């Protein structure tokens, strides 16, 4: 097993790092390593996706670039391989030299973070909200924090700022949302406090099976010691023994309601808050400051986000609902607020048991307005049990939902799918929904 010091020594020894992908993390780590003087090679399948200013940067810095299909000869001389979080490691099998070390952008960035403690958050659902809640609780306590990773800003941006200006403000805690994609290539990331909220079927179009997906999630805890802490949901508490955790394990109670005064809908957000509280008190956060933070925080964009009330009908955007499990959470949350639901669903189906949701949906979901891709999956599971309609476009389905809804109902966009049938991302899907809703008359 390689250590952080050994990785940094490799970089200092002018080994060559190959970076795949020109997204946020790829751009950030290229700039960080270029500033440190590491020889770099850049790979991107779709040259047309590159931001013009980043393309100019690559040219000005004379960084070799390969565009199009990934080929073995293009990875010749690769010592450290830094993949885009969206690039499955399996697709590079046979392309890399046997001696190449795959390292995540997050782990590379941490080499330049002066040992600042990490609060890492993962899980199939709820991790972005929990990350935001952790950040608010720590800030309410007066701590200076960096929040990023899979949410918003890559850690490499913070690391570059610190590298170029060591006198710049230093974080007391790095609050990092970490996906299975990022964790899969973490070799030695020392997470002081790690949270794993839950694990359910997801990303099996990326991971070869649930075992690989779970292994990646558990890598959050793999490099902890007995001075560190692992905060786990009750349903996955058994994994601490199965994976031989060295850290002290804390199992949070998902049914607790310690923070009833909040704008965040649903018991699942009480659960997220409880996980955040269990973690943040380890950094000295008082319960009073945790409570204040929960009263202040607003729903994250695209996560059970209130959009508008029109003619007594509430419109809610949960575009981040990309799995069947997340749909169950959304239905529970909205029905707890005593709103009968008109559900908007459809898109690129990622798997899961839709029929298993029927007991939950009966009496809560008045109508399902399907749109876009995967029509057959939803209809096969629900057509004999629920009122269904289908339209090709979200705009058409929304209009149908508006006509179907009565005063007191909620029109809920909770697609249970990826967005890639019609949208570039769940963010674009949510943005379109909000624009459509705001234009309703």
């Amino acid at each position: 097993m390689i250590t952080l010091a050994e990785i940094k020594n490799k970089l200092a020894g002018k080994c060559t790092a190959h970076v795949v992908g020109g997204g946020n993390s790829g751009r950030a780590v290229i700039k960080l390593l270029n500033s440190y003087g590491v020889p770099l090679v850049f790979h991107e399948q779709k040259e047309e996706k590159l931001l013009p200013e980043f393309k100019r940067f690559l040219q000005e810095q004379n960084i070799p670039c390969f565009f199009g299909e990934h080929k073995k000869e293009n990875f010749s001389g690769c010592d450290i391989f830094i993949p885009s979080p969206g690039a499955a490691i399996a697709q590079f099998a046979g392309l890399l030299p046997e001696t190449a070390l795959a390292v995540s952008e997050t782990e590379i960035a941490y080499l330049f973070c002066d040992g600042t403690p990490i609060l890492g958050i993962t899980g199939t659902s709820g991790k972005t909200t929990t990350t935001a809640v952790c950040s608010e609780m720590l800030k309410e306590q007066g701590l200076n924090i960096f929040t990023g990773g899979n949410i918003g800003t890559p850690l490499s941006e913070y690391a570059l700022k610190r590298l170029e200006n060591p006198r710049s403000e230093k974080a007391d805690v790095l609050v990092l949302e970490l996906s299975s994609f990022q964790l899969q290539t973490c070799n030695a990331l020392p997470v002081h406090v790690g949270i794993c909220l839950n694990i359910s079927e997801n990303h099996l179009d990326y991971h070869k099976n649930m075992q690989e997906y779970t292994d990646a999630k558990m890598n959050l805890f793999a490099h902890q010691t007995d001075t560190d802490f692992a905060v786990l949901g009750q349903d996955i508490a058994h994994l601490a023994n199965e994976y031989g955790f060295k850290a002290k394990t804390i199992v949070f109670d998902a049914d607790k309601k310690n923070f009833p005064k909040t704008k965040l809908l649903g018991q699942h957000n009480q659960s997220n808050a409880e996980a955040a509280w269990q973690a943040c008190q380890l950094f000295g956060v008082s319960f009073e400051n945790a409570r204040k933070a929960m009263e202040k925080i607003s729903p994250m964009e695209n996560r059970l986000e209130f959009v508008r009330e029109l003619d007594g009908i509430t419109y809610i955007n949960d575009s981040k609902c990309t799995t069947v499990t997340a749909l169950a959470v959304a239905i529970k949350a909205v029905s707890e607020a005593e709103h009968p639901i008109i559900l908007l669903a459809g898109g690129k189906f990622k798997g899961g048991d839709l029929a298993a949701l029927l007991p939950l949906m009966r009496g809560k979901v008045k109508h399902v307005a399907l749109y876009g891709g995967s029509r057959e999956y939803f209809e096969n599971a629900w057509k004999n049990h629920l009122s269904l309609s289908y339209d090709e476009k979200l705009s058409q389905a929304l209009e149908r939902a508006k006509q179907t809804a009565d005063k007191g109902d909620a029109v809920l966009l909770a697609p249970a799918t990826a967005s890639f049938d019609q949208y570039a991302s769940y963010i674009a899907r949510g943005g379109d929904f909000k624009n459509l809703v705001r234009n309703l008359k």
Side-chain angles (χ1 to χ4, degrees):
M1 184 176 290
I2 195 164
T3 66
L4 286 178
E6 289 169 333
I7 296 172
K8 195 161 188 177
N9 286 340
K10 274 178 168 283
L11 294 175
K14 306 303 180 188
C15 72
T16 301
H18 286 234
V19 178
V20 173
N24 289 343
S25 63
R27 297 195 305 271
V29 78
I30 280 270
K31 291 177 180 178
L32 171 64
L33 293 181
N34 185 69
S35 183
Y36 191 59
V38 175
L40 293 162
V41 178
F42 176 71
H43 304 255
E44 171 60 71
Q45 287 186 310
K46 298 180 179 178
E47 183 178 0
E48 67 277 7
K49 290 176 62 177
L50 289 185
L51 296 177
E53 57 268 30
F54 181 59
K55 198 168 184 180
R56 283 194 300 272
F57 174 84
L58 294 169
Q59 293 167 345
E60 290 166 1
Q61 299 300 317
N62 296 312
I63 296 172
C65 299
F66 292 102
F67 299 112
E69 182 184 353
H70 297 310
K71 297 178 181 178
K72 183 173 182 177
E73 56 266 29
N74 295 343
F75 289 97
S76 176
C78 173
D79 298 303
I80 289 184
F81 171 64
I82 307 168
S84 160
I89 296 301
Q91 76 181 81
F92 298 95
L95 300 182
L96 303 174
E98 289 186 9
T99 55
L101 177 67
V103 186
S104 75
E105 171 269 328
T106 302
E107 190 162 71
I108 291 289
Y110 188 71
L111 300 173
F112 304 93
C113 289
D114 309 308
T116 301
I118 294 172
L119 196 175
I121 301 99
T122 197
T124 301
S125 59
K127 56 185 177 293
T128 298
T129 297
T130 304
T131 300
V133 171
C134 286
S135 296
E136 289 302 315
M137 288 182 177
L138 293 165
K139 285 192 285 189
E140 194 67 37
Q141 188 67 29
L143 295 170
N144 182 36
I145 61 161
F146 167 82
T147 304
N150 194 49
I151 175 176
T153 309
L155 185 59
S156 289
E157 288 192 19
Y158 169 80
L160 178 59
K161 183 178 178 182
R162 293 284 302 158
L163 180 64
E164 293 182 337
N165 182 11
R167 294 186 178 182
S168 63
E169 190 173 31
K170 181 182 177 183
D172 298 311
V173 184
L174 303 174
V175 183
L176 303 178
E177 178 187 320
L178 296 167
S179 69
S180 61
F181 308 157
Q182 292 165 310
L183 288 167
Q184 194 169 26
T185 49
C186 283
N187 301 272
L189 191 68
V191 176
H192 178 48
V193 179
I195 301 172
C196 187
L197 299 162
N198 46 58
I199 297 177
S200 60
E201 193 172 274
N202 196 16
H203 296 307
L204 298 186
D205 51 347
Y206 180 105
H207 295 289
K208 62 184 180 183
N209 51 37
M210 273 299 293
Q211 185 63 57
E212 182 183 284
Y213 176 58
T214 304
D215 289 347
K217 291 292 191 188
M218 291 298 99
N219 211 23
L220 181 71
F221 309 102
H223 315 295
Q224 291 186 308
T225 70
D226 58 9
T227 63
D228 299 318
F229 299 88
V231 179
L232 299 177
Q234 294 164 310
D235 291 345
I236 57 171
H238 60 94
L239 295 176
N241 286 330
E242 291 179 21
Y243 282 83
F245 284 14
K246 295 188 175 88
K248 180 180 178 182
T249 300
I250 298 167
V251 179
F252 68 90
D253 185 349
D255 296 322
K256 272 200 173 178
K257 296 182 179 179
N258 271 328
F259 306 99
K261 288 185 68 177
T262 180
K263 299 170 191 171
L264 304 183
L265 285 176
Q267 176 56 37
H268 71 290
N269 276 323
Q270 290 292 322
S271 175
N272 293 337
E274 184 64 23
W277 159 236
Q278 291 297 331
C280 288
Q281 63 182 307
L282 299 170
F283 292 95
V285 175
S286 69
F287 182 77
E288 180 62 16
N289 283 330
R291 183 188 60 76
K292 288 179 182 177
M294 282 300 293
E295 289 179 6
K296 291 178 180 178
I297 196 167
S298 295
M300 300 289 291
E301 194 171 13
N302 299 305
R303 294 162 176 83
L304 289 173
E305 175 190 12
F306 171 83
V307 181
R308 182 186 183 188
E309 184 177 314
L310 177 66
D311 299 330
I313 301 165
T314 301
Y315 292 83
I316 298 171
N317 168 31
D318 197 35
S319 183
K320 184 60 173 69
C321 169
T322 62
T323 66
V324 174
T325 301
L327 176 55
V329 169
I331 291 170
K332 286 177 185 175
V334 176
S335 62
E336 282 169 11
E338 299 183 351
H339 288 297
I341 296 166
I342 311 297
L343 176 65
L344 292 163
K348 185 180 178 183
F349 191 61
K350 298 197 295 182
D353 188 354
L354 288 165
L357 293 184
L358 286 169
L360 172 65
M361 298 174 77
R362 290 191 187 101
K364 297 181 177 70
V365 178
K366 289 173 57 174
H367 181 77
V368 181
L370 298 172
Y371 72 92
S374 304
R375 176 181 183 179
E376 66 280 9
Y377 291 100
F378 291 95
E379 288 188 340
N380 288 343
W382 295 345
K383 65 184 177 183
N384 295 324
H385 308 276
L386 298 170
S387 171
L388 297 180
S389 60
Y390 176 80
D391 291 284
E392 184 180 350
K393 297 292 185 182
L394 176 57
S395 57
Q396 298 165 324
L398 174 61
E399 187 60 39
R400 187 187 295 271
K402 178 179 180 291
Q403 298 303 322
T404 305
D406 298 313
K407 187 175 180 179
D409 291 352
V411 173
L412 169 65
L413 174 68
T417 63
S419 61
F420 305 129
D421 61 328
Q422 297 182 358
Y423 297 95
S425 66
Y426 75 84
I427 296 171
R429 176 170 64 189
D432 187 34
F433 176 71
K434 287 189 286 186
N435 287 334
L436 291 167
V437 168
R438 288 165 184 153
N439 289 325
L440 289 175
K441 295 178 181 177

